[in-house]
Amino acid sequence: MSPSSDQNRPGQRVRAPHLGTAFIASSLIFGLIAALVILGPITRYGRSFQAEVQTDNAMRGARALEVALGRAIEREWDSLVAVAGNADPGDPESIRGYANAVLRAGGRIAWAGFADRGGTIRAGAQGTREGEDVGTRRWFREGLNGGSVGSVYLSPERRPGSDSDDEALVNLSTPVTNAVGQSVGVFVYSLRMPWVDTYLKMAAEELELDAFILDREGKVIAERRAEGAPELAPEAIRSFQLNRPHTEVLSGADDRDEVYAIIPNMTATQMPPMNWSVVVRLPALAPGSAARSLSIAVLSSLIALFALLAVFVLIFNRHFLTPISRLADISDDVADGHEIYPEEFGSSHESTRLSHALSRIQAKLQ
């Protein structure tokens, strides 16, 4: 007898998996494949989402600092314009009174004074610098022609209220006009940069950001860094020269990526350009931390889904497949000639038909 006919002998058990086992195994395999298909794109999306959120947060932080700092400095500018509008160029004593009042108003101004059209200071706060020729100074020339915000410089002498001899200052200057609108001199405020630095620190700490203010040459003139944070990356200093708001991801300490938002030429609506740039740096985050958190959350959901799937598979197997398996056993008994009354199953259309068929076969054999 050939092997093929031997394999097909009546009564020989077929070595094939049980229907329930096959169903459970295929469900598990399908579930695992589905989990892998879902986790891959979600992980990639998590990484891109993390980068997008970081860059958006950095740019929003930079915009917020630009507005906050711009408005704070603009208040000093509005004060300067108001004083210049009320000053009487022919009454140095009155102008000196205005300048003294400015110094007492919060300590943000280190010095204030008035220079006539010839470039000579006619009135200064507390009488200082009166008679000094400032005709060649940039703040005087630009102030006479409409107003300006100068460059940061170190004071050559200690100003009232200062703790050092070399305090950093920036001059705000605006023209003083006569009744017919002609410029007859310049009023100037020397704004304390330590106050700007303190204001920046307060605002940046509220936003939990590292922040830097750069002058027109790219020099850091004010900054706020978290404890232990590194200095501003040279790449960020170079990139502010692109002259447009943008974000960059640069490699920072420990080769971790840091997100920078750069706004060149921060603006204020009612004053001349400051030519300052705002640079914001988000604290370095572990690569893919958001993606991992998202993957863990999704994995937890998948585990819960697998648990529900397992319960469903067990219920389905017990209710639908177990009767089919039981009827298969009964069929074997009938084929072997045992007198057995087939059980009636109604869990499915197929099991009902198979039960009735076996009952009719058993009846005919008897």
Side-chain angles (χ1 to χ4, degrees), residues 87-111:
D88 181 2
D91 186 357
E93 189 63 32
S94 172
I95 297 179
R96 191 178 300 113
Y98 278 119
N100 291 336
V102 168
L103 260 64
R104 294 192 297 268
R108 296 179 293 273
I109 306 302
W111 181 80

Side-chain angles (χ1 to χ4, degrees), residues 156-180:
E157 57 186 13
R158 179 173 295 190
R159 304 293 185 183
S162 174
D163 295 330
S164 62
D165 294 333
D166 55 354
E167 182 180 26
L169 305 172
V170 59
N171 289 326
L172 314 179
S173 59
T174 191
V176 176
T177 58
N178 58 19
V180 294

Side-chain angles (χ1 to χ4, degrees), residues 108-125:
R108 296 179 293 273
I109 306 302
W111 181 80
F114 166 73
D116 63 18
R117 189 173 180 84
T120 301
I121 295 179
R122 296 302 179 186

Side-chain angles (χ1 to χ4, degrees), residues 25-72:
S26 60
S27 298
L28 291 176
I29 293 173
F30 175 78
L32 289 174
I33 293 174
L36 293 175
V37 170
I38 292 173
L39 280 176
I42 285 181
T43 301
R44 291 192 295 271
Y45 171 76
R47 293 194 185 100
S48 62
F49 179 75
Q50 173 183 327
E52 182 178 349
V53 168
Q54 282 186 277
T55 54
D56 287 347
N57 286 343
M59 183 55 71
R60 281 197 294 267
R63 292 292 188 191
L65 285 178
E66 178 190 25
V67 171
L69 189 59
R71 287 178 178 174

